[in-house]
Amino acid sequence: MEYRYIGKSGLRVTSMALGTMTFGSTTSKDEAFKILNKAYDFGINFYDTAELYPVPPDSRYAGVTEEIVGEWLKTKPRDSIILATKVAGAASGWYVPPIRHGLTAIDRFHIKRAIEGSLKRLKTDYIDLYQMHWPDEVVPIEESLRAFDELIKEGKVRYIGTSNDTAYGLTKALMISKYENLARFESIQNNFSVLNPRFFDELEKVCKRENVSLLPYSPIAGGILSGKYNQKYIPEDARFSDYIKHPNRRVRVHAKRFYNEKTLSATAEFLEIAKKYDIHPVTLAVAYSKHFDFVASTIIGARKAEQLDDSLAAMDVKLNREILKDIAKLQEKYLYPMG
């Protein structure tokens, strides 16, 4: 088993983590337990959730994922698990989260309310990595960082991280932490895959210079890179099969980012690369995401336990120069297919 440290923290995590965002919606509690146990038995020690989950977000179900993870957590030694969760991002942007009556902000009040709720649902007295789900464009980051710092001093949180953030946002936060003597973001959880290599543009440099770790999510681009959408008919039991028909416009727009003509064309050629090297496309996609030195742990997920196998197989896969060169050519041909 390969272990890496998150940023400058003492969090020693496996190079792959288990994401839980479908638990309580498309994944039942019983199936979620099977997935969690399978990952744990394989040796995975890092688990990621959020107060907003499951997805697609719905006020009727928000928090259910944490409740499921919390019940499972009681069956394992707490110290054997690195647990991450997130405070919902601000409602001031393009998306209003369906919790706390759509008035969320990354201010002291909401951070305190969020952590208390998460601790209760997760049935634990501390979170190893507490993350900002997305930035707040109104509340100064100074206030956010002071509130996060208080949680660390109270022993409720060990380390903090950000998510869906920019090079500017991460850099500014790091500088404020340094000059105000506050806890800093040790990680950034952003979308990163063969189909979405934007992290290379600027954030790679920031993470390397400042020793902040990327925790990539959607390494198989929401299932697109498995090739299951490159068929004559859209599969029925699949994430974007539901999303493209969802009544919420925001969910449909989200689906189009992943599922479009350009991503499918790029995936068709990616499948040929996987075939050339005799590697399952899911395994190759996950191996690519965890390959880079700025990555601490790649977040994998599944709706069913058997879907984990091809992702877990990436633990032992090392990519050679030829494979990386072929993928780079693909990315040059299909520049930013996810926008």
Side-chain angles (χ1 to χ4, degrees):
M1 184 62 67
E2 180 185 6
Y3 293 88
R4 303 173 184 176
Y5 282 95
I6 295 178
K8 297 179 181 179
S9 79
L11 300 177
R12 184 171 176 262
V13 297
T14 44
S15 61
M16 286 160 54
L18 182 70
T20 62
M21 69 178 186
T22 64
F23 294 0
S25 56
T26 54
T27 302
S28 68
K29 176 183 170 181
D30 288 344
E31 192 66 23
F33 266 57
K34 290 178 184 178
I35 293 169
L36 288 160
N37 285 326
K38 188 168 190 173
Y40 187 86
D41 292 343
F42 186 82
I44 300 295
N45 75 349
F46 188 23
Y47 298 81
D48 179 75
T49 188
E51 67 164 339
L52 188 61
Y53 293 165
V55 297
D58 189 312
S59 59
R60 296 171 296 174
Y61 310 119
V64 170
T65 301
E66 285 188 326
E67 290 175 357
I68 292 172
V69 173
E71 287 188 44
W72 174 79
L73 195 63
K74 298 300 288 185
T75 70
K76 301 290 182 281
R78 177 64 181 89
D79 290 347
S80 70
I81 288 170
I82 304 298
L83 181 64
T85 192
K86 312 176 194 74
V87 52
S92 57
W94 66 280
Y95 171 63
V96 177
I99 57 174
R100 291 190 288 283
H101 299 281
L103 299 174
T104 56
I106 308 296
D107 60 11
R108 188 176 186 276
F109 172 81
H110 282 281
I111 289 172
K112 294 286 186 177
R113 289 294 294 270
I115 191 67
E116 293 302 332
S118 288
L119 290 173
K120 182 178 180 180
R121 289 186 292 271
L122 289 164
K123 297 178 174 59
T124 185
D125 58 352
Y126 72 96
I127 302 298
D128 296 285
L129 179 66
Y130 197 47
Q131 302 157 103
M132 177 173 70
H133 211 147
W134 62 89
D136 194 320
E137 297 178 357
V138 176
V139 176
I141 189 64
E142 293 91 333
E143 177 177 347
S144 308
L145 289 168
R146 288 192 186 98
F148 286 131
D149 191 72
E150 288 176 12
L151 297 184
I152 292 175
K153 290 175 179 175
E154 293 169 5
K156 295 175 181 176
V157 169
R158 293 178 63 189
Y159 299 98
I160 58 172
T162 186
S163 183
N164 299 300
D165 215 336
T166 63
Y168 168 77
L170 177 58
T171 302
K172 183 176 181 180
L174 291 172
M175 292 304 98
I176 289 172
S177 292
K178 177 179 179 180
Y179 292 113
E180 297 292 332
N181 195 29
L182 299 170
R184 71 168 212 150
F185 290 142
E186 298 294 344
S187 63
I188 178 170
Q189 186 179 144
N190 276 28
N191 189 298
F192 177 69
S193 70
V194 170
L195 295 180
N196 187 14
R198 281 194 176 276
F199 203 87
F200 292 130
D201 293 349
E202 290 293 338
L203 275 165
E204 176 190 11
K205 183 182 294 185
V206 177
C207 285
K208 284 185 173 181
R209 295 279 180 89
E210 302 296 334
N211 196 6
V212 173
S213 295
L214 170 63
L215 306 175
Y217 69 83
S218 290
I220 61 172
I224 299 294
L225 287 168
S226 70
K228 63 184 176 183
Y229 294 93
N230 285 69
Q231 303 177 48
K232 186 175 182 180
Y233 300 104
I234 300 174
E236 286 298 322
D237 187 22
R239 179 180 176 187
F240 296 120
S241 305
D242 299 330
Y243 279 28
I244 59 177
K245 298 177 289 187
H246 200 276
N248 187 307
R249 181 178 176 274
R250 182 257 174 190
V251 176
R252 296 196 303 272
V253 170
H254 176 73
K256 190 174 181 180
R257 183 188 180 207
F258 286 82
Y259 178 71
N260 60 64
E261 184 177 340
K262 201 170 181 181
T263 58
L264 293 180
S265 295
T267 296
E269 296 197 22
F270 174 75
L271 296 175
E272 290 301 315
I273 295 173
K275 183 178 180 180
K276 174 181 176 181
Y277 294 100
D278 194 26
I279 304 175
H280 192 282
V282 168
T283 305
L284 178 57
V286 175
Y288 175 84
S289 181
K290 65 187 277 292
H291 168 80
F292 301 94
D293 58 3
F294 52 82
V295 172
S297 189
T298 290
I299 302 170
I300 61 173
R303 297 170 111 190
K304 300 176 182 178
E306 59 265 26
Q307 293 176 330
L308 270 186
D309 294 337
D310 294 322
S311 292
L312 293 175
M315 186 65 77
D316 298 321
V317 174
K318 303 295 182 183
L319 302 185
N320 59 38
R321 186 176 299 179
E322 288 71 26
I323 297 176
L324 292 170
K325 188 180 295 184
D326 284 349
I327 293 176
K329 288 179 181 177
L330 168 66
Q331 291 170 331
E332 289 175 8
K333 182 177 179 180
Y334 297 97
L335 188 62
Y336 304 138
M338 289 178 57

